[in-house]
Amino acid sequence: MFPRPIEQTAPAMQVMYKIALPAALILWLLPLLGVAVTSVRPASDLAQGNYFGMPSYLAFENYADVFRNTPMGRYILNSFIVTIPTVIGAVALSLMTGFALAVYRFRGNLILFFMFVAGNFVPFQILMVPVRDLTLNLGMYNSYHGLALFHIAFQTGFCTLFMRNFIKALPYELIEAARVEGVAEWRIFWFIVLPLMRPAIAALSVLVFTFIWNDFFWATVLTSSPEAQPITAGLSSLNGQWVAAWHLVSAGSILAALPPVLMFFLMQKHFIAGLTLGAVK
């Protein structure tokens, strides 16, 4: 089934297409365009107060200066060191937890599932002081593993909800047939359920990667030095050290946005399949 041409739709829909769609696109892209223009604005323009006008020339050397004059390379490396283990840990743990909640029947199954769901509605801001004190007492403050472990803990609830519902939608007859054949439970999980979960794993990995990479709150609460700060907290510290260097902050922001965008486009096929699987029978 092909989409209907816009000329064959109602006049109201044509108005929405010609006015509302461009307006929404402009509003959505306007902040990004502003950051992109500032990232190539020379420092002399900012010193003269030219924040919103056209740049006097395009200073692409800002992208090189942000690595020469700031610890941007270290911040990017820190983000990868924290984000990749978090994605692997959260997805792996939620796969096993979701499988147990979706396949096995035991007392308290539904209550345990509701606990995972309820955890997603707790405002994480109220946990700021207890979590920071806990990291200090455990000696994990301002460290990679401390930030990664707490990210895994906070992401597990949403990931378990996602995986449990996905496994629940799989044909249960496959698991029953494997049990009749005498297949061990871990083999059912590894050789039957896991291959069917590839679209869900890809979709969840992209979401968690984006959440963790763009996290600013816990990055500033649990880290304090360039040796452990990810790129979001690092960009904030740049604003404090170089007050007038908005061109460097903007260039760093553009660079910080590239990894999640690249991951989405690399995993786009599996991401869409994971989100839409089961939508149409």
Side-chain angles (χ1 to χ4, degrees):
M1 182 178 179
F2 296 97
R4 179 183 297 180
I6 188 64
E7 293 80 7
Q8 299 179 11
T9 59
M13 296 301 297
Q14 296 185 26
V15 171
M16 183 180 69
Y17 169 76
K18 295 178 180 179
I19 298 178
L21 185 61
L25 186 62
I26 292 173
L27 290 175
W28 179 61
L29 291 177
L30 192 59
L32 180 60
L33 291 175
V35 173
V37 172
T38 305
S39 69
V40 294
R41 190 183 300 275
S44 58
D45 284 10
L46 297 174
Q48 296 171 6
N50 182 14
Y51 294 100
F52 304 105
M54 292 299 297
S56 56
Y57 66 93
L58 299 180
F60 290 103
E61 63 270 13
N62 291 342
Y63 288 92
D65 291 341
V66 77
F67 285 98
R68 286 196 297 260
N69 302 332
T70 71
M72 181 58 59
R74 183 67 187 182
Y75 293 144
I76 294 176
L77 178 62
N78 292 344
S79 289
F80 279 112
I81 293 175
V82 171
T83 303
I84 293 176
T86 300
V87 172
I88 296 174
V91 172
L93 189 60
S94 63
L95 272 171
M96 294 182 286
T97 309
F99 178 79
L101 293 175
V103 174
Y104 300 123
R105 297 179 180 177
F106 55 90
R107 182 176 298 177
N109 182 307
L110 197 59
I111 296 176
L112 187 61
F113 175 65
F114 283 155
M115 290 177 63
F116 279 105
V117 176
N120 295 315
F121 298 98
V122 176
F124 55 84
Q125 289 86 355
I126 67 175
L127 303 175
M128 178 180 65
V129 175
V131 168
R132 186 178 182 276
D133 291 344
L134 182 60
T135 56
L136 288 171
N137 294 332
L138 295 177
M140 294 190 300
Y141 180 75
N142 197 39
S143 64
Y144 301 129
H145 60 279
L147 187 57
L149 285 174
F150 278 97
H151 275 311
I152 292 174
F154 288 124
Q155 294 295 326
T156 299
F158 168 75
C159 294
T160 299
L161 169 65
F162 188 93
M163 289 298 184
R164 185 260 186 188
N165 292 338
F166 198 97
I167 296 175
K168 201 78 172 176
L170 296 178
Y172 192 73
E173 293 78 9
L174 295 175
I175 299 176
E176 290 182 331
R179 287 173 175 169
V180 170
E181 296 294 331
V183 181
E185 294 296 319
W186 71 269
R187 288 181 173 271
I188 293 176
F189 171 75
W190 188 262
F191 293 105
I192 297 177
V193 174
L194 201 59
L196 298 175
M197 296 291 294
R198 288 177 182 174
I201 294 173
L204 192 59
S205 298
V206 172
L207 291 175
V208 174
F209 184 93
T210 304
F211 293 159
I212 304 306
W213 185 274
N214 294 332
D215 173 71
F216 176 75
F217 182 80
W218 292 115
T220 54
V221 170
L222 301 180
T223 60
S224 60
S225 67
E227 288 73 21
Q229 282 182 327
I231 194 167
T232 49
L235 288 174
S236 176
S237 65
L238 291 184
N239 188 28
Q241 297 175 20
W242 294 273
V243 177
W246 289 109
H247 56 301
L248 297 183
V249 176
S250 299
S253 300
I254 296 295
L255 294 173
L258 292 179
V261 173
L262 291 176
M263 184 172 182
F264 172 78
F265 282 108
L266 290 175
M267 306 287 287
Q268 181 179 10
K269 178 181 177 182
H270 300 288
F271 179 78
I272 299 301
L275 295 181
T276 59
L277 188 63
V280 179
K281 295 294 185 181

